[in-house]
Amino acid sequence: MRAATIVVIVVSSVVSLRAAAPQAQPVPQPFPRPGAPAVPPPPTAAQPARPPQPSQPAASPAARTADGAPTEVTLGVPIYPGAQFITSYDAGRGQRYYLFGTAASFVELVSYYRTILKQRGDLVYEVPATHQFDVGRFDNDTMAFPPGVTIKDFQSDLSQGFPNPKPGGQPARFPTILQIVPVPSK
């Protein structure tokens, strides 16, 4: 009977130790997450719409256009006239970045944003030509990307441009891509 008591004590000790053991930490994920959907799918009638999270204000009617594209109000910077919204990606740390395609040349876009933002910006790469304008302060503790406008030339001897993801969309290829990372709302 004494051995049975010891077995019960040992088994109950193991069970209580397992229950008290800390849960395994989730594996950190890189950002942006490959394979993650670019834009969350719209809720269907069968799914109830989720209310906005307390840290995120509800979207105003002017926050998105009918096709789901963000507006200048949402982004906090002007969108080049005629630029077409392509998609947005989760940048991590509560940030998103937004891609637009345009038929305008790299030089036209750089000139436009120099005038509108009243700054010269920086030529980050000569080939492929990439120019960046900062539109807010970067906080390493809370941001994944610095807020800004980045213009990239996708047209070269090797490339006719960035393919338009919309079937039959015009132009078929965008010579220039515009990436906007808005200043996070507080």
Side-chain angles (χ1 to χ4, degrees), residues 9-23:
I9 292 172
V10 170
V11 170
S12 65
S13 297
V14 170
V15 170
S16 59
L17 283 176
R18 279 196 170 172
Q23 298 295 322

Side-chain angles (χ1 to χ4, degrees), residues 42-108:
T44 61
Q47 297 174 330
R50 293 188 311 199
Q53 300 298 321
S55 62
Q56 299 173 346
S60 68
R64 297 213 177 255
T65 61
D67 65 351
T71 65
E72 292 180 353
V73 172
T74 305
L75 300 175
V77 295
I79 300 169
Y80 186 79
Q84 296 179 39
F85 175 66
I86 296 174
T87 191
S88 71
Y89 292 97
D90 179 5
R93 296 188 176 190
Q95 284 185 293
R96 293 193 75 75
Y97 60 91
Y98 300 86
L99 297 182
F100 295 84
T102 178
S105 73
F106 174 81
V107 173
E108 288 175 290

